[in-house]
Amino acid sequence: MRRTPPHPPHLPDLRAGLGSGATRASRPRRRRAGDRLPGRGGLRHLWGLPEQDLPNTATSVVSDLRERTPMNETARAEHGLGYAVNAPYYDLIFPAPVRATLEGALQTLLPNARAVAEIGPGTGIFTEALARLLGPKAEIFAIEPARIMRAALMTRLARLPEANVTVLPDDALTAELDVELDAVVLFNLIMHFGPDDRARLWRKWAGALRPGGTLIMETQFPQKATAVPEAIVPGGVLGRHRYDTVARADVIDQDRIRWLMTYRTWAGNDLVRTETADFDCYVISDELLAQELSAAGLVPHPAAPADIQAWQRP
C-alpha cells in the first residue's frame, strides 16, 4: 500500500509541538478541467496578496507566513487555519484503498478487544469501524483535542447509539485512562512527533497496555526525507460537486518534509473552489520505528498485516 499524504496531519501540540504551518482559502475564478493549478496569478487569488508582494513560489509564501505567525495547530484551527481548512474534506478525500487496508488491520488484530484507545481519531472514520467491529460490550476511548475534528467525530457517534465510545478532548501525551488497554490505535498520527516526543509517546502508551496488548499504526510514507512529486488523489462526490486533492511534499531537512495539499471542488468540468494547507511531518523509517518501539519494551506482533506496524507488550 503506497501511503498517501496525511489525512490530515493531526495537532502538533497533541502530538509533537511542531512549528506552525500556513493555510489560506479562496474562491477562484472558474477553471476548466485540464487547466494547470494556479500559478503566480492564481496565488494572488489564493492568498489575497497584491501581485507585487508575491514571492516566486508557494513554498516561500508558506515559509514567510510560518515565520511571522508562530502558532501551534490548535491555535491555528481556532483562527480558521490548518484543520479548519482540512476538516470539511476529510471523509471525502480519504482514499478508499487506504481505508480498506487500515480497517482490515483492525479486523485482523483486534477481533476480541474490550478496551481500546484511539489517539487522534479526527472525524471518526476508524472510531466507527472499531465500534461496529467490537460491539457495545467493548469500551473505546477517542482522544481528539481539535475542536473542529471533535465536532465531526461526536456528530458521527451520535448516529451510533449502540457505540460505547468516550470522547476525550485531551492530547496524546497527557490523556489519562483508568483501565488497562487491549490496544492503542494511532493511524495517520506519528509523523507529527519529533524523536523526543515519540519516546514519551511510546513509553506512555506501551505502559497503558495489558500484557499481550497491541499498539497499531500504519507504515510511514515516505521512508526517508525525499520530495514527493505532485499527484492528484481522487475524492468523493456530494450532489453536483466532486472533490479531489493535489498533494506534494518538499524536503525541509534530513528528518522532515512539508506536505502541501490543495483541496479542489469541481462542478462538472469547472473548478469552482480551492483551499490549500501545508503540514510539516517527521520521516520515520521502519528501521527507526523498530528501534524506538523495542526500546519501549514492545515486540513485533506475529500477525501484523502488510504495511501495518503492530507491536505488543510482552
Side-chain angles (χ1 to χ4, degrees), residues 31-87:
R31 298 177 184 273
R32 305 293 295 179
D35 284 356
R36 297 182 63 184
L37 283 176
R40 186 173 174 84
L43 282 172
R44 176 170 55 82
H45 294 285
L46 191 64
W47 291 88
L49 298 174
E51 182 75 23
Q52 63 270 22
D53 291 340
L54 276 176
N56 288 330
T57 67
T59 300
S60 57
V61 174
V62 167
S63 299
D64 181 56
L65 289 180
R66 189 182 305 276
E67 293 171 359
R68 290 189 283 115
T69 55
M71 295 185 289
N72 64 36
E73 288 293 343
T74 299
R76 293 178 66 239
E78 294 294 334
H79 285 78
L81 305 172
Y83 291 108
V85 175
N86 175 277

Short mmCIF file of all heavy atoms in Angstrom, two decimals, residues 31-87:
data_model
loop_
_atom_site.label_atom_id
_atom_site.label_comp_id
_atom_site.label_asym_id
_atom_site.label_seq_id
_atom_site.Cartn_x
_atom_site.Cartn_y
_atom_site.Cartn_z
N ARG A 31 -12.39 27.55 -13.50
CA ARG A 31 -11.40 26.98 -14.40
C ARG A 31 -11.96 25.72 -15.01
O ARG A 31 -12.91 25.13 -14.50
CB ARG A 31 -10.10 26.68 -13.64
CG ARG A 31 -9.47 27.93 -13.07
CD ARG A 31 -8.23 27.62 -12.26
NE ARG A 31 -7.72 28.83 -11.66
CZ ARG A 31 -6.89 29.66 -12.26
NH1 ARG A 31 -6.46 29.40 -13.48
NH2 ARG A 31 -6.48 30.76 -11.67
N ARG A 32 -11.37 25.29 -16.07
CA ARG A 32 -11.84 24.11 -16.77
C ARG A 32 -10.96 22.92 -16.43
O ARG A 32 -9.79 23.06 -16.10
CB ARG A 32 -11.80 24.35 -18.29
CG ARG A 32 -12.57 25.58 -18.74
CD ARG A 32 -14.05 25.44 -18.52
NE ARG A 32 -14.61 24.38 -19.36
CZ ARG A 32 -15.90 24.05 -19.34
NH1 ARG A 32 -16.74 24.68 -18.53
NH2 ARG A 32 -16.35 23.09 -20.12
N ALA A 33 -11.55 21.72 -16.52
CA ALA A 33 -10.76 20.51 -16.31
C ALA A 33 -9.59 20.51 -17.28
O ALA A 33 -9.73 20.82 -18.45
CB ALA A 33 -11.62 19.26 -16.52
N GLY A 34 -8.42 20.13 -16.78
CA GLY A 34 -7.23 20.13 -17.60
C GLY A 34 -6.41 21.38 -17.45
O GLY A 34 -5.25 21.42 -17.85
N ASP A 35 -7.00 22.46 -16.88
CA ASP A 35 -6.22 23.65 -16.59
C ASP A 35 -5.13 23.31 -15.59
O ASP A 35 -5.30 22.45 -14.73
CB ASP A 35 -7.10 24.76 -15.98
CG ASP A 35 -7.96 25.44 -17.01
OD1 ASP A 35 -7.82 25.11 -18.20
OD2 ASP A 35 -8.77 26.29 -16.62
N ARG A 36 -4.02 24.01 -15.65
CA ARG A 36 -2.98 23.85 -14.65
C ARG A 36 -3.45 24.49 -13.35
O ARG A 36 -4.30 25.38 -13.33
CB ARG A 36 -1.68 24.51 -15.11
CG ARG A 36 -1.12 23.87 -16.38
CD ARG A 36 0.18 24.52 -16.76
NE ARG A 36 1.19 24.33 -15.74
CZ ARG A 36 2.40 24.89 -15.81
NH1 ARG A 36 2.72 25.65 -16.83
NH2 ARG A 36 3.27 24.68 -14.86
N LEU A 37 -2.88 24.03 -12.25
CA LEU A 37 -3.18 24.67 -10.98
C LEU A 37 -2.74 26.12 -11.03
O LEU A 37 -1.86 26.49 -11.80
CB LEU A 37 -2.43 23.96 -9.84
CG LEU A 37 -3.03 22.66 -9.37
CD1 LEU A 37 -2.13 22.04 -8.33
CD2 LEU A 37 -4.42 22.87 -8.82
N PRO A 38 -3.34 26.99 -10.19
CA PRO A 38 -2.98 28.39 -10.22
C PRO A 38 -1.48 28.60 -10.07
O PRO A 38 -0.84 28.01 -9.22
CB PRO A 38 -3.72 28.96 -8.99
CG PRO A 38 -4.85 28.03 -8.79
CD PRO A 38 -4.36 26.68 -9.21
N GLY A 39 -0.93 29.42 -10.94
CA GLY A 39 0.48 29.78 -10.83
C GLY A 39 0.60 31.08 -10.06
O GLY A 39 -0.12 31.31 -9.11
N ARG A 40 1.46 31.96 -10.53
CA ARG A 40 1.68 33.20 -9.80
C ARG A 40 0.39 34.02 -9.70
O ARG A 40 0.03 34.50 -8.63
CB ARG A 40 2.78 34.01 -10.51
CG ARG A 40 3.20 35.25 -9.77
CD ARG A 40 4.40 35.88 -10.46
NE ARG A 40 4.74 37.15 -9.86
CZ ARG A 40 5.49 37.30 -8.79
NH1 ARG A 40 5.96 36.23 -8.19
NH2 ARG A 40 5.77 38.49 -8.31
N GLY A 41 -0.33 34.14 -10.80
CA GLY A 41 -1.58 34.88 -10.74
C GLY A 41 -2.59 34.20 -9.86
O GLY A 41 -3.33 34.84 -9.12
N GLY A 42 -2.65 32.84 -9.93
CA GLY A 42 -3.58 32.10 -9.09
C GLY A 42 -3.28 32.27 -7.62
O GLY A 42 -4.17 32.33 -6.79
N LEU A 43 -1.98 32.35 -7.28
CA LEU A 43 -1.62 32.54 -5.88
C LEU A 43 -2.11 33.89 -5.36
O LEU A 43 -2.41 34.03 -4.18
CB LEU A 43 -0.10 32.44 -5.70
CG LEU A 43 0.46 31.03 -5.71
CD1 LEU A 43 1.98 31.07 -5.73
CD2 LEU A 43 -0.02 30.26 -4.50
N ARG A 44 -2.19 34.86 -6.22
CA ARG A 44 -2.72 36.14 -5.77
C ARG A 44 -4.14 35.97 -5.27
O ARG A 44 -4.52 36.50 -4.22
CB ARG A 44 -2.69 37.15 -6.93
CG ARG A 44 -3.32 38.49 -6.58
CD ARG A 44 -3.04 39.52 -7.66
NE ARG A 44 -3.49 39.06 -8.96
CZ ARG A 44 -4.75 39.14 -9.39
NH1 ARG A 44 -5.68 39.65 -8.61
NH2 ARG A 44 -5.09 38.69 -10.58
N HIS A 45 -4.96 35.20 -6.01
CA HIS A 45 -6.32 34.93 -5.55
C HIS A 45 -6.30 34.07 -4.30
O HIS A 45 -7.06 34.28 -3.36
CB HIS A 45 -7.11 34.21 -6.65
CG HIS A 45 -7.34 35.04 -7.86
ND1 HIS A 45 -8.26 36.05 -7.89
CD2 HIS A 45 -6.76 35.02 -9.09
CE1 HIS A 45 -8.26 36.63 -9.09
NE2 HIS A 45 -7.35 36.01 -9.83
N LEU A 46 -5.41 33.07 -4.29
CA LEU A 46 -5.38 32.12 -3.19
C LEU A 46 -5.01 32.77 -1.88
O LEU A 46 -5.58 32.47 -0.83
CB LEU A 46 -4.38 31.00 -3.52
CG LEU A 46 -4.38 29.78 -2.62
CD1 LEU A 46 -5.70 29.05 -2.72
CD2 LEU A 46 -3.24 28.85 -3.00
N TRP A 47 -4.05 33.68 -1.91
CA TRP A 47 -3.55 34.29 -0.69
C TRP A 47 -4.10 35.68 -0.43
O TRP A 47 -3.89 36.23 0.65
CB TRP A 47 -2.01 34.36 -0.74
CG TRP A 47 -1.40 33.02 -0.65
CD1 TRP A 47 -1.12 32.17 -1.68
CD2 TRP A 47 -1.02 32.33 0.53
NE1 TRP A 47 -0.58 31.01 -1.22
CE2 TRP A 47 -0.50 31.08 0.14
CE3 TRP A 47 -1.05 32.65 1.89
CZ2 TRP A 47 -0.03 30.16 1.05
CZ3 TRP A 47 -0.57 31.72 2.79
CH2 TRP A 47 -0.07 30.50 2.38
N GLY A 48 -4.79 36.25 -1.40
CA GLY A 48 -5.31 37.59 -1.20
C GLY A 48 -4.22 38.64 -1.11
O GLY A 48 -4.36 39.64 -0.41
N LEU A 49 -3.09 38.42 -1.81
CA LEU A 49 -1.97 39.34 -1.77
C LEU A 49 -1.88 40.09 -3.10
O LEU A 49 -2.20 39.55 -4.15
CB LEU A 49 -0.65 38.58 -1.56
CG LEU A 49 -0.53 37.81 -0.25
CD1 LEU A 49 0.77 37.00 -0.26
CD2 LEU A 49 -0.55 38.75 0.94
N PRO A 50 -1.42 41.34 -3.07
CA PRO A 50 -1.20 42.05 -4.33
C PRO A 50 -0.09 41.40 -5.12
O PRO A 50 0.84 40.82 -4.56
CB PRO A 50 -0.81 43.47 -3.88
CG PRO A 50 -0.31 43.30 -2.49
CD PRO A 50 -1.08 42.16 -1.90
N GLU A 51 -0.17 41.48 -6.45
CA GLU A 51 0.79 40.79 -7.32
C GLU A 51 2.23 41.13 -6.97
O GLU A 51 3.09 40.26 -6.91
CB GLU A 51 0.50 41.17 -8.78
CG GLU A 51 1.40 40.48 -9.79
CD GLU A 51 1.02 39.03 -9.98
OE1 GLU A 51 -0.12 38.68 -9.70
OE2 GLU A 51 1.89 38.24 -10.40
N GLN A 52 2.52 42.39 -6.70
CA GLN A 52 3.91 42.77 -6.48
C GLN A 52 4.46 42.23 -5.18
O GLN A 52 5.67 42.18 -4.98
CB GLN A 52 4.06 44.30 -6.50
CG GLN A 52 3.31 45.03 -5.38
CD GLN A 52 1.90 45.41 -5.81
OE1 GLN A 52 1.34 44.80 -6.73
NE2 GLN A 52 1.34 46.42 -5.17
N ASP A 53 3.58 41.81 -4.25
CA ASP A 53 4.05 41.31 -2.97
C ASP A 53 4.29 39.80 -2.98
O ASP A 53 4.77 39.25 -2.01
CB ASP A 53 3.04 41.62 -1.87
CG ASP A 53 2.97 43.10 -1.57
OD1 ASP A 53 3.94 43.81 -1.91
OD2 ASP A 53 1.95 43.53 -1.01
N LEU A 54 3.93 39.12 -4.07
CA LEU A 54 4.04 37.68 -4.09
C LEU A 54 5.48 37.23 -4.26
O LEU A 54 6.17 37.67 -5.16
CB LEU A 54 3.23 37.09 -5.25
CG LEU A 54 1.75 36.88 -4.99
CD1 LEU A 54 1.09 36.40 -6.27
CD2 LEU A 54 1.53 35.86 -3.88
N PRO A 55 5.95 36.30 -3.40
CA PRO A 55 7.23 35.65 -3.67
C PRO A 55 7.10 34.78 -4.91
O PRO A 55 6.01 34.57 -5.44
CB PRO A 55 7.47 34.81 -2.41
CG PRO A 55 6.57 35.40 -1.37
CD PRO A 55 5.39 35.94 -2.12
N ASN A 56 8.21 34.22 -5.34
CA ASN A 56 8.22 33.47 -6.59
C ASN A 56 7.56 32.11 -6.48
O ASN A 56 7.14 31.55 -7.48
CB ASN A 56 9.66 33.28 -7.07
CG ASN A 56 10.24 34.59 -7.58
OD1 ASN A 56 9.51 35.42 -8.09
ND2 ASN A 56 11.55 34.76 -7.43
N THR A 57 7.48 31.52 -5.29
CA THR A 57 6.92 30.18 -5.16
C THR A 57 5.98 30.11 -3.98
O THR A 57 6.05 30.90 -3.05
CB THR A 57 8.03 29.13 -4.94
OG1 THR A 57 8.63 29.37 -3.66
CG2 THR A 57 9.09 29.18 -6.03
N ALA A 58 5.10 29.10 -4.04
CA ALA A 58 4.19 28.88 -2.92
C ALA A 58 4.96 28.57 -1.66
O ALA A 58 4.59 28.97 -0.56
CB ALA A 58 3.23 27.73 -3.25
N THR A 59 6.07 27.83 -1.79
CA THR A 59 6.84 27.44 -0.62
C THR A 59 7.38 28.66 0.11
O THR A 59 7.39 28.72 1.33
CB THR A 59 8.00 26.51 -1.02
OG1 THR A 59 7.45 25.35 -1.64
CG2 THR A 59 8.83 26.11 0.18
N SER A 60 7.85 29.67 -0.64
CA SER A 60 8.39 30.84 0.03
C SER A 60 7.29 31.64 0.71
O SER A 60 7.51 32.25 1.75
CB SER A 60 9.15 31.72 -0.97
OG SER A 60 8.33 32.11 -2.05
N VAL A 61 6.08 31.64 0.14
CA VAL A 61 4.96 32.28 0.82
C VAL A 61 4.69 31.59 2.14
O VAL A 61 4.54 32.21 3.19
CB VAL A 61 3.69 32.23 -0.06
CG1 VAL A 61 2.49 32.78 0.70
CG2 VAL A 61 3.88 33.02 -1.34
N VAL A 62 4.64 30.25 2.08
CA VAL A 62 4.38 29.47 3.28
C VAL A 62 5.46 29.72 4.33
O VAL A 62 5.18 29.94 5.50
CB VAL A 62 4.32 27.97 2.93
CG1 VAL A 62 4.37 27.11 4.17
CG2 VAL A 62 3.04 27.68 2.13
N SER A 63 6.72 29.70 3.91
CA SER A 63 7.81 29.88 4.86
C SER A 63 7.75 31.26 5.50
O SER A 63 7.98 31.41 6.70
CB SER A 63 9.16 29.70 4.15
OG SER A 63 9.26 28.39 3.62
N ASP A 64 7.42 32.29 4.70
CA ASP A 64 7.35 33.64 5.22
C ASP A 64 6.26 33.74 6.28
O ASP A 64 6.46 34.27 7.37
CB ASP A 64 7.08 34.62 4.09
CG ASP A 64 7.01 36.06 4.57
OD1 ASP A 64 7.99 36.51 5.19
OD2 ASP A 64 5.99 36.72 4.34
N LEU A 65 5.07 33.20 5.98
CA LEU A 65 3.98 33.27 6.94
C LEU A 65 4.27 32.40 8.15
O LEU A 65 3.87 32.72 9.27
CB LEU A 65 2.67 32.83 6.28
CG LEU A 65 2.10 33.82 5.27
CD1 LEU A 65 0.80 33.28 4.70
CD2 LEU A 65 1.85 35.18 5.90
N ARG A 66 4.99 31.28 7.94
CA ARG A 66 5.34 30.42 9.06
C ARG A 66 6.20 31.19 10.06
O ARG A 66 6.06 31.06 11.27
CB ARG A 66 6.09 29.19 8.54
CG ARG A 66 6.32 28.12 9.58
CD ARG A 66 7.11 26.98 8.98
NE ARG A 66 6.46 26.46 7.80
CZ ARG A 66 5.49 25.56 7.83
NH1 ARG A 66 5.05 25.10 8.97
NH2 ARG A 66 4.96 25.12 6.71
N GLU A 67 7.12 32.00 9.56
CA GLU A 67 7.99 32.76 10.44
C GLU A 67 7.24 33.89 11.14
O GLU A 67 7.53 34.24 12.28
CB GLU A 67 9.15 33.34 9.63
CG GLU A 67 10.11 32.28 9.10
CD GLU A 67 11.12 32.85 8.13
OE1 GLU A 67 11.07 34.07 7.86
OE2 GLU A 67 11.95 32.08 7.64
N ARG A 68 6.23 34.44 10.47
CA ARG A 68 5.55 35.60 11.03
C ARG A 68 4.36 35.24 11.91
O ARG A 68 3.84 36.08 12.61
CB ARG A 68 5.08 36.52 9.89
CG ARG A 68 6.23 37.21 9.19
CD ARG A 68 5.76 38.26 8.22
NE ARG A 68 5.26 37.69 6.98
CZ ARG A 68 4.00 37.76 6.58
NH1 ARG A 68 3.11 38.36 7.32
NH2 ARG A 68 3.62 37.24 5.43
N THR A 69 3.90 33.99 11.85
CA THR A 69 2.74 33.59 12.64
C THR A 69 3.03 32.30 13.39
O THR A 69 2.56 31.23 13.01
CB THR A 69 1.51 33.39 11.73
OG1 THR A 69 1.84 32.45 10.70
CG2 THR A 69 1.09 34.69 11.10
N PRO A 70 3.83 32.37 14.46
CA PRO A 70 4.24 31.16 15.17
C PRO A 70 3.13 30.64 16.09
O PRO A 70 3.16 30.82 17.30
CB PRO A 70 5.45 31.63 15.97
CG PRO A 70 5.18 33.08 16.23
CD PRO A 70 4.43 33.58 15.03
N MET A 71 2.13 29.97 15.52
CA MET A 71 1.04 29.40 16.29
C MET A 71 1.10 27.88 16.19
O MET A 71 1.48 27.34 15.17
CB MET A 71 -0.32 29.88 15.75
CG MET A 71 -0.56 31.36 15.89
SD MET A 71 -2.23 31.80 15.37
CE MET A 71 -2.11 31.56 13.60
N ASN A 72 0.69 27.18 17.27
CA ASN A 72 0.57 25.74 17.15
C ASN A 72 -0.72 25.40 16.40
O ASN A 72 -1.53 26.28 16.11
CB ASN A 72 0.63 25.07 18.53
CG ASN A 72 -0.52 25.47 19.43
OD1 ASN A 72 -1.65 25.65 18.98
ND2 ASN A 72 -0.25 25.59 20.72
N GLU A 73 -0.90 24.11 16.08
CA GLU A 73 -2.01 23.74 15.21
C GLU A 73 -3.37 23.94 15.87
O GLU A 73 -4.35 24.24 15.20
CB GLU A 73 -1.86 22.29 14.74
CG GLU A 73 -0.76 22.09 13.72
CD GLU A 73 -1.06 22.76 12.38
OE1 GLU A 73 -2.22 23.11 12.13
OE2 GLU A 73 -0.12 22.94 11.61
N THR A 74 -3.46 23.79 17.18
CA THR A 74 -4.73 24.04 17.85
C THR A 74 -5.11 25.50 17.70
O THR A 74 -6.25 25.84 17.35
CB THR A 74 -4.64 23.68 19.34
OG1 THR A 74 -4.34 22.29 19.47
CG2 THR A 74 -5.95 23.98 20.04
N ALA A 75 -4.16 26.39 17.94
CA ALA A 75 -4.43 27.82 17.80
C ALA A 75 -4.76 28.18 16.36
O ALA A 75 -5.65 28.99 16.09
CB ALA A 75 -3.23 28.62 18.29
N ARG A 76 -4.05 27.57 15.41
CA ARG A 76 -4.30 27.86 14.00
C ARG A 76 -5.71 27.44 13.61
O ARG A 76 -6.40 28.14 12.87
CB ARG A 76 -3.27 27.16 13.12
CG ARG A 76 -1.85 27.71 13.32
CD ARG A 76 -0.84 26.96 12.46
NE ARG A 76 -1.11 27.22 11.06
CZ ARG A 76 -1.38 26.26 10.17
NH1 ARG A 76 -1.43 25.00 10.54
NH2 ARG A 76 -1.60 26.57 8.92
N ALA A 77 -6.15 26.28 14.10
CA ALA A 77 -7.51 25.83 13.79
C ALA A 77 -8.53 26.80 14.36
O ALA A 77 -9.55 27.10 13.73
CB ALA A 77 -7.73 24.42 14.33
N GLU A 78 -8.27 27.30 15.56
CA GLU A 78 -9.18 28.26 16.17
C GLU A 78 -9.23 29.57 15.37
O GLU A 78 -10.20 30.32 15.46
CB GLU A 78 -8.77 28.55 17.61
CG GLU A 78 -8.90 27.36 18.55
CD GLU A 78 -10.34 26.94 18.77
OE1 GLU A 78 -11.25 27.79 18.63
OE2 GLU A 78 -10.58 25.75 19.06
N HIS A 79 -8.18 29.84 14.59
CA HIS A 79 -8.12 31.04 13.76
C HIS A 79 -8.55 30.75 12.31
O HIS A 79 -8.31 31.56 11.41
CB HIS A 79 -6.71 31.62 13.76
CG HIS A 79 -6.36 32.34 15.03
ND1 HIS A 79 -6.02 31.68 16.19
CD2 HIS A 79 -6.34 33.67 15.32
CE1 HIS A 79 -5.77 32.58 17.14
NE2 HIS A 79 -5.97 33.78 16.64
N GLY A 80 -9.15 29.59 12.07
CA GLY A 80 -9.63 29.27 10.74
C GLY A 80 -8.58 28.70 9.82
O GLY A 80 -8.78 28.65 8.60
N LEU A 81 -7.45 28.24 10.36
CA LEU A 81 -6.36 27.70 9.56
C LEU A 81 -6.20 26.20 9.82
O LEU A 81 -6.89 25.62 10.65
CB LEU A 81 -5.05 28.43 9.91
CG LEU A 81 -5.09 29.96 9.77
CD1 LEU A 81 -3.81 30.57 10.33
CD2 LEU A 81 -5.29 30.36 8.33
N GLY A 82 -5.28 25.56 9.11
CA GLY A 82 -4.95 24.16 9.37
C GLY A 82 -6.15 23.24 9.27
O GLY A 82 -6.75 23.07 8.21
N TYR A 83 -6.52 22.65 10.40
CA TYR A 83 -7.63 21.71 10.40
C TYR A 83 -8.96 22.36 10.09
O TYR A 83 -9.88 21.68 9.63
CB TYR A 83 -7.68 20.99 11.74
CG TYR A 83 -6.52 20.06 11.90
CD1 TYR A 83 -5.49 20.35 12.77
CD2 TYR A 83 -6.42 18.93 11.11
CE1 TYR A 83 -4.40 19.52 12.88
CE2 TYR A 83 -5.34 18.09 11.21
CZ TYR A 83 -4.32 18.38 12.09
OH TYR A 83 -3.23 17.56 12.19
N ALA A 84 -9.07 23.65 10.32
CA ALA A 84 -10.30 24.33 9.92
C ALA A 84 -10.47 24.30 8.41
O ALA A 84 -11.59 24.31 7.90
CB ALA A 84 -10.27 25.78 10.42
N VAL A 85 -9.36 24.25 7.67
CA VAL A 85 -9.42 24.12 6.21
C VAL A 85 -9.64 22.67 5.82
O VAL A 85 -10.46 22.35 4.95
CB VAL A 85 -8.12 24.65 5.57
CG1 VAL A 85 -8.12 24.42 4.06
CG2 VAL A 85 -7.94 26.13 5.88
N ASN A 86 -8.93 21.76 6.46
CA ASN A 86 -8.94 20.35 6.07
C ASN A 86 -10.22 19.61 6.46
O ASN A 86 -10.70 18.76 5.71
CB ASN A 86 -7.73 19.66 6.70
CG ASN A 86 -7.71 18.17 6.46
OD1 ASN A 86 -8.37 17.44 7.18
ND2 ASN A 86 -6.96 17.74 5.46
N ALA A 87 -10.77 19.92 7.63
CA ALA A 87 -11.83 19.10 8.21
C ALA A 87 -13.05 18.91 7.31
O ALA A 87 -13.59 17.79 7.23
CB ALA A 87 -12.26 19.69 9.55
#
